[in-house]
Amino acid sequence: MLIEYGVWVSRLMLGVVFGLAAAGKFLDAAATRKAVGEFGVPVRAVPAVAAALPWLEAAIAAGVLIRPLAGLAAGAAVLVLLVFTGAVLRLLRAGKRPACACFGASERPIGRTTLLRNALLLALAVIVLAGALRYPEVPAILPAANSFGLTLFALLAAVLLWLAGELLAVRRRLDQQALTTLGAEGLPAGAVAPEFELRPADPDAPAVTLADLLTGGRGVLLVFVHPGCEMCAALARELPRWQRRVADALTIVAVGNGDPAEHAAWGAEQRLGDIPVLVQQGNEAALRYRVRGTPSAVLIDREGRVAAPVGRGAMAIRDLIVHPKLAAPR
């Protein structure tokens, strides 16, 4: 009976994933059309594909829960994931990294994490397909109360995941609106530095917050960079030397956005050494600090306040590390 429960739970999980993907695309049709076009679908076919895709995902989500259709729906899920993974590989090999928009609007570009997620989902779909073929009587053979309870739990989990996604989307929109409304680049000197939580490029390291960086009574220099920026690469090679000069007063941190693995490789190539490389999910830190380009830097004093206007370019960033705000307290 344990195997039968596993078969039903795997079907519920796949149904939740495809249901959330369908809901996201229905709610943000514009982002879906944009993503479909960027993934290489011919222009004339984009409207039709964008309109059909969420319906297909919704049909798969419902089908895996219906006993006679579970095998067919799981097979369709495998096919969809294979096609999508193939498209991601083709774009990455061509050096293109459009936003996925797999669950609606998303600023996160495709990368290795997309491939890893697809591999896990593909494995789940294959498990569901095998379970549907081997145990076609599930969930009818399970106790009705247990089957209903698991289904209700899956629905509640789907709602919570959807709400979490909506909160993140609202947060991004508020950040963008604030940047548009306030207009000028950079926060004023003396403003409280916005908190953040960013992923290190090292996948084994824990998330890092501004409070973490301010421990030890030192200021923080957030240097916003991008792996495709030549000026950023030239600047990055200077950061370790600058860090040694101001080690007692300042922590220098490189901040990028996109694929953590790409940033880890870039950091190793530029020989950043002990300089932490943090990665935004979209542009949340840059938006909160109103930074509009790379390379740019924001100096935060030891009290957690913005110490100076945004520095743009290597010369301006170098000037920040000798700012009077970094002088040791008396």
Side-chain angles (χ1 to χ4, degrees), residues 25 28-41 46 49-50 53 84 87 90-91 98-106 110:
K25 291 179 177 64
D28 200 335
T32 302
R33 286 193 297 271
K34 181 175 182 292
V36 167
E38 290 178 341
F39 267 70
V41 174
V46 165
V49 173
L53 187 56
F84 177 55
R90 176 177 54 81
L91 288 169
C100 173
C102 302
F103 295 91
S106 173
I110 60 173

Side-chain angles (χ1 to χ4, degrees), residues 187 190-196 210 214 289 298-301 304-306:
L187 297 175
V192 175
E195 184 56 271
F196 53 77
L210 175 60
L214 289 171
Y289 285 90
V298 175
L299 179 64
I300 302 169
D301 65 24
R305 294 183 178 274
V306 176

